[in-house]
């Protein structure tokens, strides 16, 4: 796993490293500069003619140190100081003086000539106000240069807190990010301004992040091995859970099929689909491994029997919003004693009757997309987008549920847990049925005795990795939801977790 701190937490980590561990700020700055140069060489950035634009804070100090190192290697370097003398940090002033003493050309206006690389060290992670005036003109001029663009720690003008563009921002091809990739470089639109982001270890201690619930984290493919549930040699289908999928209204057999198949693919032992009668034949043909039970009207006794049979229930995929669907959801939630995933129409129905959510914490996972979540909490999609972290944390705190808020950067939140931010996946996954696959994957993981939070996190990440595999096979345009299931198979197989 990797932490994704914002500017406030990164500054706290810096202070902790300097004060508790005793590594001087200037030493960290030297390491940052060395790593920046090292990464640029590894990425084959053209360093023949370098323009380094420096602000007056410690990010500017990093820039002056980079300029000096490149100059000492015989590169042609021009350092531009665009900050304020009055607000210049001690370390930045010292680095500028050292660079000047060694003969680095230092000017205060961006030259008209072109450079092979433009290195941005104007603002650091603490920027929170709009970029205006001369600074805005400087960033625009940097963007207009023809050379490759490299940002030091975070592109200037990008908020490290939410990825927003603070008026104007530097467009980097490469960002060398110290200690951790910053939250603002992962979220949109900051992600599009950051280019390739390379985290560089410079000695900053990040252990203070471990117990902070307001710090996000993400996963890498190697984390799958540790997170996937173990498969025991001495086991049977019951060992891996009985999953009840209450999915698929008339004409929506596809949602029922995709979610049920995905529950099997993620490791679930036995799946029973409870669906509208007209879906029976096609589901038995598409997924003979599943038990298919059907209804034509609301049948309370049948529901009671099914819930008693199941270890996990998943409800909502293609369920529709009819009166019968509403009655089914209401009965399930009023009598729920097992872990539950609620998706799609289940969420739309729940938005009308939020009182159905239990007063005490239960193992319930909601998987809304942005529009469904906005309906749940009673705001517009744009309001949710602007304050998604705050609103999501409040929602899971109020209702005691786990929530996977689906978007280009899906978030998983639960009360008292760090928020997971998914960085895998791609736009090829933006197809009908993709959410049904996710709901099924999470249900399958829940059935293998994972906690609701862990199942949601792993399910979201597996689903996204499956999407990446699907794009490799099908391209960016032609991925279908069923291709995601094949991609998920590949990801699980490559971990070799269940091999005994």
């Amino acid at each position: 796993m990797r932490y994704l701190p914002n500017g406030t937490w990164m500054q706290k980590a810096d202070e902790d490293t300097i004060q508790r561990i005793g590594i001087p700020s200037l030493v960290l700055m030297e390491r940052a500069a060395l790593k920046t140069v090292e990464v640029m060489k590894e990425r084959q950035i053209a360093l023949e003619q370098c323009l380094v634009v420096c602000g007056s804070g410690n990010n500017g100090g990093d820039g002056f140190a980079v300029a000096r190192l490149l100059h000492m290697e015989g590169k042609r370097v021009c350092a531009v100081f665009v900050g304020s003398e009055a607000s210049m940090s001690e370390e930045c002033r010292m680095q500028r003086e050292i660079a000047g003493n060694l003969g680095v050309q230092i000017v205060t206006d961006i030259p008209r000539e072109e450079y092979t690389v433009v290195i941005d060290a104007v603002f650091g992670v603490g920027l929170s106000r709009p970029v205006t005036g001369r600074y805005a003109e400087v960033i625009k001029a940097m963007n207009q240069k023809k050379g490759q663009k490299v940002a030091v720690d975070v592109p200037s003008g990008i908020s490290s807190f939410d990825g927003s563009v603070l008026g104007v921002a530097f467009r980097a091809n490469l960002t060398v990010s110290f200690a951790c990739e910053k939250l603002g470089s992962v979220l949109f639109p900051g992600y599009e301004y950051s280019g390739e982001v390379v985290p560089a270890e410079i000695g900053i201690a990040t252990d203070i992040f471990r117990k902070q619930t307001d710090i996000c984290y993400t996963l890498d493919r190697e984390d799958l091995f540790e997170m996937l549930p173990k498969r025991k040699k001495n086991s049977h289908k019951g060992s891996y859970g009985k999953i009840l999928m209450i999915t698929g209204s008339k004409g929506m057999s596809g949602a029922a099929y995709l979610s049920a198949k995905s529950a099997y693919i993620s490791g679930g032992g036995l799946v029973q689909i409870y669906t509208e009668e007209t879906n029976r034949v096609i589901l038995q043909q598409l997924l003979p491994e599943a038990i298919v039970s059907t209804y034509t009207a609301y049948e309370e006794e049948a529901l009671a029997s099914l819930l008693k049979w199941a270890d996990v229930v998943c409800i909502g995929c293609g369920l529709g919003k009819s009166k019968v669907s509403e009655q089914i959801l209401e009965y399930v939630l009023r009598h729920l004693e097992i872990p539950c995933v609620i998706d799609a129409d289940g969420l739309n129905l729940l938005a009308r009757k939020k009182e159905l959510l239990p007063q005490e914490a239960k193992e319930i996972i909601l998987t809304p997309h942005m529009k469904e979540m906005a309906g749940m909490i009673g705001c517009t999609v744009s309001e949710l987008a602007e304050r998604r972290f705050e609103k999501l944390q409040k929602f899971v705190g109020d209702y005691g549920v786990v929530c996977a808020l689906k978007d280009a950067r899906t978030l998983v939140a639960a009360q008292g847990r760090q928020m997971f931010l998914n960085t895998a996946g791609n736009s090829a996954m933006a197809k009908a049925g993709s959410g049904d696959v996710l709901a099924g994957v999470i249900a399958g993981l829940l059935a293998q005795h994972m906690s609701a939070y862990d199942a949601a996190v792993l399910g979201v990440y597996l689903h996204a990795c499956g999407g990446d595999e699907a794009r490799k096979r099908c391209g960016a345009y032609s991925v279908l939801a069923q291709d995601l299931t094949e991609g998920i198979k590949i990801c699980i197989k490559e971990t070799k977790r269940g091999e005994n």
Side-chain angles (χ1 to χ4, degrees), residues 10 51 60 93 102-103 109 118 149 156 160 176 180 196 247 317 321 337 350 360 397 405 416 431 455:
M10 204 62 238
L51 181 68
R93 192 179 302 278
L102 287 170
D109 292 305
V118 179
K149 310 293 197 307
S156 293
S160 68
V176 183
C180 301
E196 181 188 5
T247 53
C317 303
K321 293 179 280 187
E337 295 181 358
L350 190 58
E360 71 281 1
L405 178 56
K431 293 286 181 72

Side-chain angles (χ1 to χ4, degrees), residues 1 20 27 73 75 102 114 123 147 157 193 196 219 239 357 367 373 395 425 432 470 489 493:
M1 63 169 286
R20 178 175 63 87
V27 171
E73 291 186 6
K75 312 298 184 186
L102 287 170
E114 295 295 340
F123 295 118
Y193 281 75
E196 181 188 5
L219 297 175
S239 305
L357 285 171
T367 57
M373 188 66 186
F395 181 80
K489 283 183 183 180
K493 181 177 182 292

